[in-house]
Amino acid sequence: MRMDRPAQAREAPVSPASLYADRVKVYPARVHGRFRNFKWAFLVFALAVYYLLPWLRWHRPGDAPDQLLLIDLAGRRFYLGPLEIWPQEIYLVTLLLIFSAIALFLVTSLFGRIWCGFACPQTVWTDLYMWVERRIEGDRNARMKLDQGPKNGAYWTKKLSKHAIWLVIAAATGGSFVLYVQDAPTAVREIFTGQAGAWTYSFVGILTFTTYALAGWAREQVCTYMCPWPRFQAAMLDMQSLVVTYRAWRGEPRGKHKQGESWDGRGDCIDCRQCVNVCPTGIDIRDGQQLECIGCGLCIDACDAVMDKVGRPRGLIALDTLADIQACERAVAQVPPGPRRLDVAAAAHAPLKVVRPRTLIYAAVLGLVGVLMLAALAIRDTTELAVLRDRAPLFVTLADGSVRNSYTLKIIEKRHHDRTLTLHLDGLPGATLAGLGVDEARQRTIPLSVRPGSVATQRVHVFAPAGALLPESTPVTFRLVEPDGREAARHDSVFLAPKR
Amino acid sequence: MPTKIEKDALTGKETTGHEWDGIRELNTPLPKWWLYILYATIAWSAVWAILYPSFPGLSGHWRGTTGWTQRAAIAEQMAAVEAERAPMLERIRTAALDEIRRDPGLLQYAMAGGRVAFADNCAPCHGAGGEGRPGGFPSLADDSWIWGGTLEDIHFTIRHGIRNTQDENARMSLMPAYAQILSRQEIDDVAEHVLGFTGRSTNAESAARGAAIYAEQCAACHGAKGEGVREQGGPALNDAIWLYGGSKREIAAQIANPRMGVMPPWQGRLDEAIIRMLTVYVHTLGGGE
């Protein structure tokens, strides 16, 4: 059961049939302050990255696409600046995902749910949608009044224009997504001229719908009911993690306060419910740590403003560690409520412990994955050779008594570097080679020109001389040698001969 | 079962009116969106049943107002495929064989089509990769050809076949059964001489006797030195390829009572374009001249 239901819900006797709770619509109020400013700044940054990244260019040689970041589904390549990832190197992307996950663990154990509060796309787009909503329908009270008031012309004008703008944003979001998998200028031209494929329009449609539904309608329900991350992020948090908390030792007992009244014998919380009103998930932070809290800190901004107004120090709600809360609680246990508690607590604050086993382990694993990733990137093969042996026929005896085996070579050249490699065969004395379509005369080695950034297929015949007295199976190694004599790639196979 | 619809005290909802051992069930109707989708599908099925073949009748069935059938749809698809293939097949039908081999586009198409046609028609005798089979099914992957390994030779052989009765232009060669002409000793001597073409003779005296008989009886078709005569369809005897085995016993058996393979003509059974694709494909199997 949610703990943030209004007070009357908690006081009512709980009947077995009330396990289902209807959603209570949240009307977050406008707020100003440090956290809000940071949230705005990050929102602008994140949206700018999302919408503009596909438009950044990066020149690549040949017919490779000139987009800085491109997941080329048709060509089966992942381009990122100078990097070009082929399908068989997908483990690099896997490592990147693991790296990101561990980085998220580390950040969460240090600063709590800042991912949820600031960086998560659900948070960013919901925030953007709320901004639009506020511009059109007004702040919290105006919106509540509008929803409860008559459904007149003004009501429908506001609602329709809000949803129209939401849909435009949603379409831009869905439209930008497909730019990551296609050349952006071409894709945009095709989309607007009706020439894009059915898949493109389907994905734009699907993502337009999800953006509109999740950021416009579902909002905090995504975080509370759909997202798995809040369910297990508690495993990353400990007593030393910074979380958004209400300092109950300072705030309680709460109550209304008239200007000029003494603060002795009571807490600093004046029960103005500003912290509840601004909360995007509609919870009361004073109830303690909750699953629904996304750690955005807007309640801190709201409370700080109130504390300034009533002349009490800021920080009744703060980004604090549970260890510090406990230390302060212990220190003020014998002190009666009132301003003196703050003085006592000032000396008792627990220092922030950033370095602790949990963060060290996360950082170590993060470093390890990072080093692994760089190493894998540095030593990956740029030229690869695969050899497929013909199995029908296994071998052919020729008129002069020599034995021929045929192979299909796949030469993968990832770089955009035009050159001629030489194919050698080791392990079969006196063997000669002939490449189909290259030069069909039998030679010791054959030159193969590689096509840059491609997978080339080359059929090769291998001849063992007559009277070589071969065993039925001889292990052989194909080697591709660079013009400067270095080995570019190799592949093992076997050479089969008839039973003697 | 008593049926008494009443309000549940706790939730204020109606019950279904059914009671099982004191347990009553709340009446929780299906979600509206779900019901509307169900109604929409029912309406859709009615439209569908009118448009498309649906109900069986006493004589035939309701054919639908669109006249759509699966057979017609498949025929349409096949016709579309044929139409798509037609220009390429026409080019292959009219191009010179060597032109097909030189043009990368035509070659790629011919190789793909030839591979399929080969697997369907030729592989039972000549093997999946053209490796041949023991007992007179020649390998098409080696460099020894009885009737010639140029594109034109292969094309002719596929069209007319070998030693068949259906095609008067079929490649024809017949080796007499020497069991009725020569004595056992003479056959043995000829076999010894034939072994000598590949340096395997061990009895010079016998081989010398065989040489005289060979020059008289065999050289016309197999060549004076066993090099084979293609015009006659006489296989070479001086190489490592033996259609019916290369041991002395097997050679002697083949002289005494020769076995000779038959290949049917494919002209008329396969389209000319397919025969041409097969020609090019067989030529690339490893022995094309």
Side-chain angles (χ1 to χ4, degrees):
Chain A
M1 260 206 318
R2 289 172 58 136
M3 297 301 293
D4 58 331
R5 290 291 135 240
Q8 62 270 23
R10 256 181 280 127
E11 285 153 14
V14 178
S15 68
S18 68
L19 286 173
Y20 177 82
D22 279 330
R23 181 193 178 210
V24 177
K25 193 173 174 186
V26 182
Y27 296 90
R30 196 172 174 195
V31 65
H32 301 278
R34 291 174 295 154
F35 287 91
R36 183 64 263 184
N37 288 342
F38 180 71
K39 206 160 148 67
W40 282 135
F42 199 89
L43 178 139
V44 170
F45 167 72
L47 290 177
V49 168
Y50 177 77
Y51 289 118
L52 299 181
L53 197 53
W55 296 95
L56 298 183
R57 304 282 94 185
W58 182 277
H59 179 69
R60 293 191 183 88
D63 49 5
D66 289 340
Q67 190 158 318
L68 179 74
L69 171 63
L70 182 68
I71 301 158
D72 185 357
L73 292 181
R76 283 152 181 78
R77 301 275 188 281
F78 173 63
Y79 297 97
L80 175 58
L83 270 183
E84 185 179 330
I85 307 280
W86 286 47
Q88 58 267 49
E89 293 162 345
I90 197 71
Y91 61 86
L92 285 171
V93 180
T94 312
L95 280 173
L96 182 67
L97 290 178
I98 296 175
F99 183 85
S100 308
I102 310 253
L104 182 59
F105 292 178
L106 176 63
V107 166
T108 303
S109 72
L110 287 174
F111 308 113
R113 293 176 63 176
I114 59 163
W115 165 262
C116 297
F118 300 95
C120 175
Q122 174 64 22
T123 281
V124 170
W125 265 273
T126 301
D127 223 17
L128 179 66
Y129 270 45
M130 283 179 179
W131 177 77
V132 172
E133 189 172 59
R134 196 149 49 229
R135 296 302 296 238
I136 293 172
E137 297 182 2
D139 204 4
R140 174 181 160 87
N141 292 336
R143 291 207 301 276
M144 291 168 83
K145 217 155 134 194
L146 184 72
D147 280 358
Q148 284 151 14
K151 307 269 187 287
N152 54 20
Y155 173 87
W156 289 115
T157 314
K158 282 181 177 172
K159 289 288 174 187
L160 282 177
S161 46
K162 175 181 83 173
H163 286 284
I165 294 176
W166 278 2
L167 278 170
V168 168
I169 295 173
T173 307
S176 286
F177 186 83
V178 298
L179 302 186
Y180 283 87
V181 297
Q182 301 169 51
D183 179 57
T186 317
V188 165
R189 192 165 51 242
E190 285 178 356
I191 288 171
F192 281 106
T193 52
Q195 292 168 341
W199 278 110
T200 302
Y201 287 118
S202 305
F203 267 90
V204 172
I206 290 169
L207 288 157
T208 301
F209 170 75
T210 52
T211 308
Y212 173 71
L214 297 184
W217 295 89
R219 293 194 174 171
E220 82 285 349
Q221 299 176 94
V222 174
C223 315
T224 313
Y225 300 117
M226 291 165 70
C227 181
W229 175 234
R231 306 271 158 183
F232 67 85
Q233 52 96 25
M236 283 95 221
L237 296 170
D238 57 23
M239 297 295 285
Q240 308 292 341
S241 306
L242 283 168
V243 286
V244 176
T245 56
Y246 167 66
R247 286 169 168 157
W249 56 265
R250 186 189 142 183
E252 300 298 325
R254 64 182 88 155
K256 294 274 177 263
H257 179 265
K258 284 209 182 83
Q259 208 174 358
E261 261 180 20
S262 162
W263 291 92
D264 285 329
R266 57 158 296 154
D268 283 346
C269 175
I270 60 167
D271 209 8
C272 62
R273 294 186 64 81
Q274 279 307 303
C275 53
V276 182
N277 292 347
V278 300
C279 180
T281 68
I283 60 167
D284 188 341
I285 191 65
R286 297 171 300 174
D287 291 341
Q289 292 296 300
Q290 293 152 73
L291 169 75
E292 293 88 344
C293 175
I294 58 168
C296 64
L298 295 189
C299 51
I300 300 179
D301 284 345
C303 191
D304 282 351
V306 171
M307 287 297 111
D308 289 351
K309 210 179 286 174
V310 300
R312 298 294 301 150
R314 291 178 164 197
L316 176 55
I317 303 174
L319 206 54
D320 201 355
T321 66
L322 294 183
D324 181 58
I325 298 278
Q326 273 187 357
C328 293
E329 264 168 10
R330 268 197 301 276
V332 303
Q334 305 304 322
V335 183
R340 217 169 68 77
R341 278 196 163 182
L342 266 177
D343 305 331
V344 175
H349 277 302
L352 185 62
K353 263 175 76 178
V354 172
V355 180
R356 46 189 203 271
R358 174 188 297 277
T359 55
L360 283 180
I361 290 169
Y362 286 153
V365 177
L366 188 68
L368 184 72
V369 176
V371 168
L372 259 177
M373 208 159 64
L374 289 178
L377 200 60
I379 64 169
R380 71 183 179 139
D381 291 323
T382 49
T383 307
E384 285 177 33
L385 174 66
V387 176
L388 306 162
R389 227 188 141 277
D390 273 15
R391 288 193 285 183
L394 290 172
F395 53 80
V396 173
T397 306
L398 298 177
D400 65 356
S402 58
V403 179
R404 187 187 74 209
N405 279 204
S406 301
Y407 304 82
T408 302
L409 270 53
K410 297 267 184 196
I411 302 157
I412 301 167
E413 176 56 43
K414 295 176 190 165
R415 279 175 300 172
H416 297 272
H417 180 186
D418 221 340
R419 66 203 191 283
T420 298
L421 302 176
T422 318
L423 181 70
H424 293 251
L425 181 80
D426 295 351
L428 197 64
T432 47
L433 311 173
L436 263 71
V438 183
D439 178 0
E440 305 201 359
R442 303 186 193 181
Q443 305 164 74
R444 290 273 169 206
T445 63
I446 46 179
L448 296 174
S449 57
V450 292
R451 286 187 293 132
S454 73
V455 182
T457 302
Q458 174 68 51
R459 291 260 301 155
V460 170
H461 291 321
V462 175
F463 302 89
L469 295 179
L470 288 172
E472 278 179 59
S473 172
T474 310
V476 294
T477 303
F478 287 89
R479 290 191 302 122
L480 276 177
V481 178
E482 299 272 5
D484 63 6
R486 278 185 310 109
E487 181 179 297
R490 61 158 59 209
H491 199 282
D492 293 336
S493 188
V494 290
F495 186 92
L496 300 187
K499 216 177 213 168
R500 274 185 284 126
Chain B
M1 200 182 288
T3 300
K4 189 173 159 228
I5 294 178
E6 55 188 0
K7 291 244 176 194
D8 176 59
L10 273 174
T11 57
K13 281 185 177 174
E14 285 182 350
T15 66
T16 55
H18 307 291
E19 186 174 334
W20 294 272
D21 295 338
I23 298 171
R24 279 164 302 161
E25 189 189 7
L26 289 177
N27 183 14
T28 311
L30 288 167
K32 283 216 180 61
W33 64 264
W34 194 96
L35 265 182
Y36 290 144
I37 289 175
L38 176 67
Y39 296 149
T41 54
I42 291 171
W44 175 247
S45 72
V47 174
W48 191 266
I50 292 166
L51 289 176
Y52 288 95
S54 46
F55 294 106
L58 288 177
S59 56
H61 60 273
W62 169 248
R63 292 183 188 283
T65 54
T66 56
W68 185 91
T69 69
Q70 280 187 329
R71 270 174 205 282
I74 223 45
E76 208 172 284
Q77 283 175 13
M78 293 306 292
V81 171
E82 303 258 314
E84 203 171 301
R85 285 181 184 165
M88 204 64 176
L89 289 181
E90 190 51 39
R91 275 184 68 195
I92 286 174
R93 203 171 284 128
T94 50
L97 289 167
D98 199 49
E99 196 183 324
I100 302 175
R101 199 165 73 96
R102 301 272 170 232
D103 183 306
L106 284 178
L107 177 65
Q108 196 192 1
Y109 198 89
M111 287 295 287
R115 180 176 292 116
V116 174
F118 189 87
D120 285 350
N121 301 292
C122 315
C125 291
H126 289 290
E131 68 271 27
R133 275 176 205 281
F137 303 105
S139 165
L140 305 175
D142 63 22
D143 54 352
S144 166
W145 296 88
I146 300 169
W147 297 101
T150 64
L151 284 166
E152 278 69 27
D153 288 337
I154 296 170
H155 185 226
F156 187 91
T157 305
I158 297 176
R159 277 199 308 176
H160 301 292
I162 299 166
R163 292 188 201 96
N164 57 64
T165 53
Q166 299 102 304
D167 191 317
E168 55 184 15
N169 290 321
R171 305 267 198 197
M172 185 58 73
S173 72
L174 284 173
M175 177 167 163
Y178 282 94
Q180 277 129 45
I181 300 170
L182 301 174
S183 71
R184 280 189 168 233
Q185 181 57 48
E186 285 169 326
I187 289 173
D188 192 65
D189 291 343
V190 174
E192 189 64 29
H193 176 65
V194 168
L195 280 182
F197 291 141
T198 43
R200 294 183 293 155
S201 172
T202 50
N203 186 339
E205 204 182 314
S206 168
R209 285 198 302 273
I213 305 168
Y214 181 89
E216 189 183 319
Q217 299 283 351
C218 316
C221 290
H222 288 290
K225 295 194 172 81
E227 69 273 21
V229 177
R230 282 189 180 168
E231 294 75 35
Q232 309 287 348
L237 304 174
N238 65 348
D239 63 16
I241 315 287
W242 297 91
L243 210 47
Y244 295 95
S247 70
K248 186 174 176 187
R249 190 177 57 78
E250 288 164 322
I251 294 170
Q254 185 65 8
I255 297 170
N257 287 300
R259 290 170 285 168
M260 282 163 287
V262 174
M263 174 172 161
W266 293 93
Q267 186 172 256
R269 296 174 69 173
L270 296 178
D271 184 82
E272 172 63 16
I274 295 186
I275 290 179
R276 281 166 168 264
M277 293 198 287
L278 267 177
T279 302
V280 174
Y281 177 71
V282 167
H283 189 263
T284 63
L285 284 176
E289 290 172 348

